[in-house]
Amino acid sequence: MEQNNSKPAVRKQKIAKDNKALYTVISILVGFAIGAIMLIVVKVNPFEAYGLLLKSVFGTPKNMAQSVVYATPLILTGLSVAFSFRTGIFNIGAEGQFVMGSLGAMVVGVAVDAPAIIHVPLCLLAAALAGALWGALVGYLKAKIGANEVLCMIMFNWIAYYFSNYVVKSKLFNDTGKQVSKKVADSAKLSVNSLKASLGQKVNWGIIIAIIAVIVIYLIINKTTLGYRLCSVGFNRNAAEYAGINVKVAIVSAIAISGALAGLAGATQVLGYNYSISEFAGQEGYGFEGITVAMIGATHPVGVFFAGLFYGAMKYGGKNMNLLGAPTEVIDIIMGSIIFFIAISSILKTIRTRFSRKGGTK
């Protein structure tokens, strides 16, 4: 009897997943349709613009490789936000955690003298710890005194922003007087030297780090006691506490893990692309773009991976749309439209359910 009862439940769960994927695809198509309307308004042929976009991404192996480079930090910040969503926390602080992670990687990359086999892991560890600590501080404030995590994270984003500028301008990490830090040592770089000539100088091992992170987070969420406890707190905090789960520890742990992922995103950007940190004129936005990636990927680690690749390709390929006179902001309009329609997908699901019920009664 139990097996028979479980089959409908499994079937419903599969249908729900299929519907979620369907709504995401529909939202993407609608986003591109709205983008096409905007292009027509500015008197640009949308077929030519989207054709150029595709060519800019898939036209050559170099273009595809550079799209992956653009996607790498987005995958990690998206994974950071997605993990926190799964545990019932809205991590709007991934931007600050990203900054602290990039700062930690830069400091170790500049200050430490070691062979690459030691130097690179040290930089990555420093970045993950910096991001985790920055997230854990907010988690502690929420768990200890009930502080609102969203407000705290917004403030911590700005603290990280100004602290980074302070470090970049300090004499320890800036000897040129310019608005940029010293470059990390060659032994700390994630560059793939063998592919520089064919695929571009900025090709790096960051995507491997992102893939490993996706696998690890998937296993934590689905295969470990820790993941079960953290997700239980996210689903129902009171029930989790009644079951004997330490909710305060779970909150701090969840935000710390989320922060570590965002910190790694900062490390891949510094060690694999910029090799230094510039004084910020404004927030870079990787943490906020991670929210977009997490939503498109339905907060599932594998979904986030492909959503990050999609967003990275859009960012890289979209730069060339101005060759046709199209504003690059069209990409932001497309992505914003996608998120909007994903956000209202619950309304679409309700409408679809009501129509299906009416059809069933007939």
Side-chain angles (χ1 to χ4, degrees), residues 101-126:
S102 61
L103 195 60
M106 184 275 290
V107 168
V108 175
V110 170
V112 175
D113 182 17
I117 195 170
I118 297 174
H119 205 179
V120 170
L122 275 179
C123 291
L124 295 175
L125 179 61

Side-chain angles (χ1 to χ4, degrees), residues 294-344:
M295 292 189 68
I296 294 176
T299 71
H300 190 283
V302 177
V304 166
F305 177 76
F306 289 106
L309 290 176
F310 169 67
Y311 199 169
M314 292 287 286
K315 284 187 69 175
Y316 179 72
K319 294 189 306 177
N320 293 327
M321 290 178 67
N322 58 9
L323 296 176
L324 295 174
T328 55
E329 287 78 10
V330 170
I331 298 300
D332 296 326
I333 293 172
I334 292 172
M335 300 306 297
S337 300
I338 292 171
I339 292 305
F340 174 77
F341 284 98
I342 288 176
I344 66 170

Side-chain angles (χ1 to χ4, degrees), residues 35-285:
I37 294 171
M38 295 296 104
L39 289 169
I40 292 172
V41 169
V42 297
K43 299 180 180 179
V44 174
N45 188 323
F47 294 103
E48 290 183 9
Y50 288 157
L52 180 60
L53 175 65
L54 289 173
K55 185 178 179 181
S56 299
V57 175
F58 300 106
T60 64
K62 182 177 179 179
N63 288 350
M64 288 188 285
Q66 293 305 309
S67 296
V68 171
V69 170
Y70 269 62
T72 298
L74 297 175
I75 294 171
L76 288 166
T77 55
L79 200 61
S80 169
V81 175
F83 181 81
S84 65
F85 276 171
R86 286 295 184 99
T87 57
I89 297 166
F90 180 42
N91 184 14
I92 201 171
E95 180 71 16
Q97 295 149 18
F98 173 93
V99 170
M100 294 304 293
S102 61
L103 195 60
M106 184 275 290
V107 168
V108 175
V110 170
V112 175
D113 182 17
I117 195 170
I118 297 174
H119 205 179
V120 170
L122 275 179
C123 291
L124 295 175
L125 179 61
L129 288 176
L133 177 61
W134 207 243
L137 287 172
V138 175
Y140 177 80
L141 291 174
K142 178 177 175 61
K144 189 69 176 177
I145 63 176
N148 185 291
E149 71 270 25
V150 174
L151 294 178
C152 287
M153 286 176 180
I154 291 172
M155 290 188 289
F156 270 58
N157 285 344
W158 286 106
I159 293 170
Y161 170 90
Y162 287 112
F163 180 65
S164 177
N165 284 353
Y166 171 79
V167 173
V168 167
K169 290 187 291 186
S170 67
K171 292 181 179 179
L172 284 174
F173 300 101
N174 187 323
D175 57 3
T176 63
K178 297 180 180 179
Q179 296 177 329
V180 63
S181 71
K182 295 178 181 178
K183 287 191 174 184
V184 299
D186 289 340
S187 58
K189 294 178 180 178
L190 290 172
S191 303
V192 184
N193 296 324
S194 59
L195 297 177
K196 278 185 179 181
S198 58
L199 298 180
Q201 186 178 1
K202 301 298 184 179
V203 176
N204 60 70
W205 294 106
I207 189 62
I208 303 300
I209 296 171
I211 291 172
I212 293 172
V214 167
I215 295 171
V216 169
I217 294 302
Y218 175 83
L219 292 175
I220 288 175
I221 291 174
N222 295 286
K223 303 295 183 180
T224 67
T225 304
L226 173 63
Y228 175 78
R229 289 177 178 175
L230 297 182
C231 290
S232 296
V233 173
F235 287 129
N236 191 319
R237 192 166 296 176
N238 293 328
E241 191 170 14
Y242 181 79
I245 297 173
N246 191 324
V247 172
K248 293 182 179 180
V249 172
I251 291 172
V252 177
S253 301
I255 302 182
I257 293 172
S258 181
L261 292 166
L264 282 175
T268 60
Q269 191 69 3
V270 170
L271 305 179
Y273 192 82
N274 295 330
Y275 308 134
S276 62
I277 298 177
S278 300
E279 184 179 348
F280 295 127
Q283 296 196 22
E284 291 193 292

